[in-house]
Amino acid sequence: MLFWSGLLYLKTIGSLTFASLLTGFAVINGTSNALVTYFLIQDIYGEAYKEKNLHPSNLSRNMEDSVAITEALMPWTVSGVFMATTLGVGNFEFLPWAIFNLGGFVFSALYGFLAPYTNGFGIRKLNPEHKDYSDSKIS
């Protein structure tokens, strides 16, 4: 209950983006399973993104940047074991050359924090005509 009330303090696009990035990174470190992390992050932040009129693709990008891309750097995940075995070096040995892995996290945070100053560059808003079909009975 305390965590959900903490979402009330995420007033800006930048704070919401950064919180979802940090949560994704923390959960992938704890669970070592990207699929579980994706479901948790979507459940936690999905409504908050809608309330801020942000397209779900923003949350998707943040999950990829904080989970899928950084997962290869952690030696206890499946991706980390694969990368270390394939490259023949430890995960932290190739960390200085993993610019893409670390850069995605940084640029997603920058997009969120700089959105008010850049006219929303890198942040996709929901269209006013956007229809939410998540509760439809289509099979």
Side-chain angles (χ1 to χ4, degrees):
M1 202 58 154
L2 179 65
F3 185 80
W4 299 111
S5 62
L7 289 176
L8 298 174
Y9 294 104
L10 303 177
K11 304 235 184 264
T12 65
I13 294 172
S15 63
L16 183 61
T17 299
F18 193 64
S20 62
L21 286 167
L22 281 180
T23 306
F25 188 73
V27 173
I28 191 64
N29 272 298
T31 64
S32 300
N33 189 329
L35 235 109
V36 170
T37 304
Y38 291 145
F39 285 122
L40 285 173
I41 300 302
Q42 171 59 37
D43 285 346
I44 294 170
Y45 292 103
E47 286 302 315
Y49 271 70
K50 285 181 186 175
E51 289 173 11
K52 293 271 188 253
N53 196 30
L54 297 173
H55 195 274
S57 64
N58 295 303
L59 181 57
S60 175
R61 182 190 63 227
N62 290 338
M63 287 191 298
E64 289 297 321
D65 288 342
S66 66
V67 177
I69 293 176
T70 60
E71 184 180 12
L73 302 176
M74 299 166 213
W76 54 88
T77 63
V78 174
S79 298
V81 170
F82 173 77
M83 292 297 235
T85 305
T86 303
L87 296 174
V89 295
N91 295 71
F92 297 120
E93 289 180 52
F94 67 81
L95 184 66
W97 291 273
I99 297 166
F100 174 73
N101 301 63
L102 303 172
F105 191 95
V106 171
F107 279 106
S108 281
L110 284 174
Y111 285 153
F113 283 117
L114 296 177
Y117 309 107
T118 60
N119 222 8
F121 178 77
I123 302 293
R124 187 171 171 199
K125 297 280 191 169
L126 285 174
N127 295 332
E129 311 87 38
H130 179 76
K131 303 280 192 265
D132 185 11
Y133 295 109
S134 61
D135 296 330
S136 66
K137 305 290 186 221
I138 300 173
S139 49

